[in-house]
Amino acid sequence: LREEHLDQSSSLIGRPIPTLTTHVLDEQQQPVAVGETGELYVGGEGLARGYLNQPELTAQRFIPNPLSDQTDDPTQPISHRLYRSGDLVRLLPKGELEYLGRIDAQVKIRGFRIELGEIEQTLQQYPGVKQAVVVAKTYGDADVRLVGYVVMDGPFEKSALIHFLNSRLPDYMVPAAFIVLTALPLTPNGKVDRKALP
Protein backbone atom coordinates (compact mmCIF):
# COMPACT_ATOMS: atom_id res chain seq x y z
CA LEU A 1 0.00 0.00 0.00
CA ARG A 2 1.46 3.34 -1.02
CA GLU A 3 0.82 6.62 0.80
CA GLU A 4 -1.22 8.05 -2.10
CA HIS A 5 -3.72 5.19 -1.71
CA LEU A 6 -4.57 5.97 1.92
CA ASP A 7 -7.23 8.60 1.16
CA GLN A 8 -8.93 6.67 -1.63
CA SER A 9 -12.27 4.88 -1.17
CA SER A 10 -11.14 2.12 -3.52
CA SER A 11 -8.05 -0.04 -3.26
CA LEU A 12 -6.12 -2.42 -5.47
CA ILE A 13 -6.47 -6.04 -4.42
CA GLY A 14 -4.14 -7.34 -7.10
CA ARG A 15 -4.43 -10.59 -9.03
CA PRO A 16 -5.61 -14.06 -7.98
CA ILE A 17 -3.10 -16.64 -6.79
CA PRO A 18 -2.32 -19.32 -9.43
CA THR A 19 -4.82 -21.93 -8.15
CA LEU A 20 -7.77 -19.50 -8.08
CA THR A 21 -9.79 -17.87 -10.81
CA THR A 22 -11.65 -14.58 -10.51
CA HIS A 23 -14.45 -13.22 -12.65
CA VAL A 24 -16.14 -9.82 -12.64
CA LEU A 25 -19.79 -10.43 -13.55
CA ASP A 26 -22.91 -8.29 -13.94
CA GLU A 27 -26.38 -8.95 -12.48
CA GLN A 28 -27.05 -11.56 -15.18
CA GLN A 29 -23.78 -13.29 -14.23
CA GLN A 30 -22.12 -12.32 -17.50
CA PRO A 31 -18.58 -10.89 -17.75
CA VAL A 32 -18.29 -7.10 -17.76
CA ALA A 33 -15.83 -5.14 -19.87
CA VAL A 34 -12.48 -4.00 -18.51
CA GLY A 35 -13.08 -0.91 -16.40
CA GLU A 36 -16.75 -1.70 -15.71
CA THR A 37 -18.09 -2.38 -12.21
CA GLY A 38 -19.34 -5.85 -11.31
CA GLU A 39 -19.44 -8.45 -8.56
CA LEU A 40 -16.35 -10.53 -7.83
CA TYR A 41 -16.80 -14.30 -8.24
CA VAL A 42 -14.03 -16.69 -7.17
CA GLY A 43 -13.38 -20.26 -8.30
CA GLY A 44 -10.61 -22.81 -8.48
CA GLU A 45 -8.83 -25.33 -6.27
CA GLY A 46 -8.89 -23.17 -3.15
CA LEU A 47 -12.67 -22.80 -3.13
CA ALA A 48 -14.45 -24.18 -0.07
CA ARG A 49 -17.37 -26.58 -0.42
CA GLY A 50 -19.72 -24.24 1.41
CA TYR A 51 -20.67 -22.90 4.83
CA LEU A 52 -20.72 -25.43 7.68
CA ASN A 53 -24.30 -26.41 8.60
CA GLN A 54 -25.76 -23.54 6.54
CA PRO A 55 -27.19 -25.12 3.37
CA GLU A 56 -29.32 -22.08 2.41
CA LEU A 57 -26.39 -19.69 2.60
CA THR A 58 -24.20 -22.21 0.77
CA ALA A 59 -26.76 -22.45 -2.06
CA GLN A 60 -26.93 -18.67 -2.27
CA ARG A 61 -23.17 -18.03 -2.33
CA PHE A 62 -21.65 -21.17 -3.91
CA ILE A 63 -23.25 -21.35 -7.35
CA PRO A 64 -22.76 -23.37 -10.53
CA ASN A 65 -20.22 -21.64 -12.73
CA PRO A 66 -22.39 -19.66 -15.21
CA LEU A 67 -19.41 -19.50 -17.58
CA SER A 68 -19.16 -23.30 -17.76
CA ASP A 69 -21.29 -25.79 -19.66
CA GLN A 70 -21.23 -28.07 -16.63
CA THR A 71 -24.36 -28.73 -14.54
CA ASP A 72 -24.55 -28.30 -10.77
CA ASP A 73 -23.64 -31.81 -9.64
CA PRO A 74 -21.92 -32.29 -6.26
CA THR A 75 -19.83 -35.13 -7.75
CA GLN A 76 -18.23 -32.72 -10.24
CA PRO A 77 -14.88 -31.07 -9.54
CA ILE A 78 -15.23 -28.02 -7.36
CA SER A 79 -13.81 -25.80 -10.13
CA HIS A 80 -17.24 -25.89 -11.77
CA ARG A 81 -18.60 -23.79 -8.93
CA LEU A 82 -18.03 -20.14 -8.10
CA TYR A 83 -18.27 -18.20 -4.86
CA ARG A 84 -20.27 -14.95 -4.99
CA SER A 85 -18.15 -12.64 -2.84
CA GLY A 86 -20.58 -9.73 -2.62
CA ASP A 87 -17.65 -7.41 -3.39
CA LEU A 88 -17.94 -4.72 -6.04
CA VAL A 89 -14.79 -4.58 -8.13
CA ARG A 90 -13.47 -3.32 -11.41
CA LEU A 91 -10.93 -5.13 -13.62
CA LEU A 92 -8.17 -2.72 -14.62
CA PRO A 93 -6.39 -2.80 -18.01
CA LYS A 94 -3.25 -4.41 -16.50
CA GLY A 95 -5.29 -7.30 -15.04
CA GLU A 96 -5.45 -6.05 -11.45
CA LEU A 97 -8.70 -5.93 -9.48
CA GLU A 98 -9.81 -2.70 -7.82
CA TYR A 99 -12.10 -3.07 -4.80
CA LEU A 100 -14.93 -0.50 -4.76
CA GLY A 101 -17.15 -1.65 -1.93
CA ARG A 102 -19.85 -4.16 -1.04
CA ILE A 103 -22.83 -5.13 -3.13
CA ASP A 104 -24.99 -4.44 -0.11
CA ALA A 105 -24.07 -0.79 -0.66
CA GLN A 106 -26.19 -1.05 -3.79
CA VAL A 107 -29.49 0.83 -3.72
CA LYS A 108 -32.54 1.04 -5.94
CA ILE A 109 -34.03 4.47 -6.68
CA ARG A 110 -36.99 5.00 -9.02
CA GLY A 111 -36.38 1.58 -10.56
CA PHE A 112 -32.65 2.14 -11.17
CA ARG A 113 -30.09 -0.05 -9.42
CA ILE A 114 -27.24 2.18 -8.26
CA GLU A 115 -23.76 1.24 -7.05
CA LEU A 116 -22.83 3.83 -4.43
CA GLY A 117 -19.15 2.89 -4.73
CA GLU A 118 -19.17 3.81 -8.41
CA ILE A 119 -20.46 7.31 -7.60
CA GLU A 120 -17.90 7.70 -4.82
CA GLN A 121 -15.10 6.68 -7.17
CA THR A 122 -16.25 9.22 -9.77
CA LEU A 123 -16.50 11.96 -7.14
CA GLN A 124 -12.91 11.31 -6.10
CA GLN A 125 -11.74 11.88 -9.67
CA TYR A 126 -12.87 15.51 -9.42
CA PRO A 127 -9.96 17.87 -8.65
CA GLY A 128 -10.18 19.06 -5.06
CA VAL A 129 -12.24 16.17 -3.71
CA LYS A 130 -10.05 14.40 -1.16
CA GLN A 131 -12.64 11.89 0.12
CA ALA A 132 -16.23 11.10 -0.79
CA VAL A 133 -19.10 9.00 0.53
CA VAL A 134 -22.56 8.68 -1.01
CA VAL A 135 -25.64 7.46 0.85
CA ALA A 136 -29.31 7.07 -0.03
CA LYS A 137 -31.57 9.03 2.32
CA THR A 138 -35.33 8.60 2.57
CA TYR A 139 -37.41 11.76 2.86
CA GLY A 140 -41.08 11.52 3.67
CA ASP A 141 -42.74 8.19 2.92
CA ALA A 142 -40.95 7.04 -0.22
CA ASP A 143 -38.79 9.82 -1.63
CA VAL A 144 -35.25 8.40 -1.78
CA ARG A 145 -32.42 10.74 -2.75
CA LEU A 146 -28.67 10.42 -3.04
CA VAL A 147 -26.57 12.62 -0.77
CA GLY A 148 -22.86 13.10 -1.36
CA TYR A 149 -20.50 13.84 1.54
CA VAL A 150 -17.17 15.29 0.45
CA VAL A 151 -13.94 16.33 2.11
CA MET A 152 -12.31 19.00 -0.05
CA ASP A 153 -8.69 19.94 -0.67
CA GLY A 154 -9.79 23.23 -2.19
CA PRO A 155 -12.92 25.36 -2.61
CA PHE A 156 -16.27 23.65 -3.15
CA GLU A 157 -18.06 24.68 -6.34
CA LYS A 158 -21.32 22.75 -6.52
CA SER A 159 -22.24 23.67 -10.12
CA ALA A 160 -18.80 22.66 -11.45
CA LEU A 161 -18.93 19.39 -9.52
CA ILE A 162 -22.42 18.57 -10.84
CA HIS A 163 -21.30 19.38 -14.39
CA PHE A 164 -18.34 17.02 -13.93
CA LEU A 165 -20.58 14.22 -12.63
CA ASN A 166 -23.16 14.74 -15.40
CA SER A 167 -20.41 14.21 -17.99
CA ARG A 168 -19.52 10.81 -16.46
CA LEU A 169 -22.68 9.42 -14.84
CA PRO A 170 -26.35 9.12 -15.80
CA ASP A 171 -28.66 11.71 -14.21
CA TYR A 172 -30.13 9.26 -11.72
CA MET A 173 -26.65 8.63 -10.24
CA VAL A 174 -25.85 12.29 -9.55
CA PRO A 175 -26.49 13.15 -5.88
CA ALA A 176 -29.34 15.58 -5.21
CA ALA A 177 -27.41 17.24 -2.38
CA PHE A 178 -23.84 17.62 -1.18
CA ILE A 179 -22.52 18.18 2.32
CA VAL A 180 -18.94 19.36 2.78
CA LEU A 181 -17.17 17.95 5.85
CA THR A 182 -13.75 18.64 7.31
CA ALA A 183 -13.33 14.88 7.85
CA LEU A 184 -15.40 11.73 7.42
CA PRO A 185 -16.53 10.09 10.68
CA LEU A 186 -14.76 6.80 11.30
CA THR A 187 -15.56 3.69 13.29
CA PRO A 188 -13.01 2.43 15.86
CA ASN A 189 -11.55 0.09 13.20
CA GLY A 190 -10.99 2.97 10.76
CA LYS A 191 -13.88 2.48 8.34
CA VAL A 192 -16.30 5.25 7.39
CA ASP A 193 -19.12 5.41 9.93
CA ARG A 194 -22.07 5.97 7.60
CA LYS A 195 -24.51 6.08 10.52
CA ALA A 196 -22.64 9.09 11.98
CA LEU A 197 -22.89 11.16 8.80
CA PRO A 198 -24.97 14.32 9.41
Side-chain angles (χ1 to χ4, degrees), residues 11-170:
S11 57
L12 291 179
I13 54 177
R15 301 169 190 263
I17 60 175
T19 60
L20 290 180
T21 60
T22 57
H23 307 279
V24 183
L25 307 179
D26 63 16
E27 291 177 13
Q28 288 75 43
Q29 297 179 340
Q30 294 300 308
V32 300
V34 171
E36 296 293 318
T37 300
E39 183 176 356
L40 176 64
Y41 288 70
V42 181
E45 292 178 22
L47 190 65
R49 295 196 180 278
Y51 291 102
L52 182 63
N53 299 325
Q54 297 185 58
E56 290 178 9
L57 186 57
T58 295
Q60 182 184 36
R61 291 293 185 170
F62 291 84
I63 65 164
N65 186 342
L67 308 175
S68 170
D69 293 334
Q70 304 294 322
T71 59
D72 186 23
D73 180 348
T75 62
Q76 290 181 353
I78 208 158
S79 61
H80 294 297
R81 298 173 62 79
L82 294 179
Y83 174 70
R84 294 186 68 166
S85 72
D87 293 328
L88 289 174
V89 298
R90 178 178 11 231
L91 181 63
L92 300 179
K94 292 183 179 179
E96 294 176 314
L97 291 166
E98 180 183 29
Y99 174 80
L100 300 173
R102 293 286 301 161
I103 202 111
D104 47 20
Q106 188 180 74
V107 297
K108 199 168 187 179
I109 299 178
R110 294 182 296 280
F112 295 105
R113 195 173 298 274
I114 298 170
E115 311 283 358
L116 298 178
E118 189 173 347
I119 303 170
E120 293 168 356
Q121 183 68 23
T122 305
L123 271 169
Q124 289 201 50
Q125 293 171 5
Y126 182 76
V129 173
K130 185 176 178 183
Q131 294 176 297
V133 172
V134 177
V135 297
K137 298 271 189 180
T138 303
Y139 298 88
D141 288 338
D143 185 20
V144 182
R145 298 181 196 169
L146 295 173
V147 178
Y149 295 85
V150 292
V151 176
M152 302 296 296
D153 253 348
F156 176 72
E157 296 178 21
K158 183 178 178 181
S159 60
L161 179 57
I162 289 175
H163 177 73
F164 174 83
L165 293 175
N166 280 329
S167 70
R168 288 162 174 77
L169 297 172

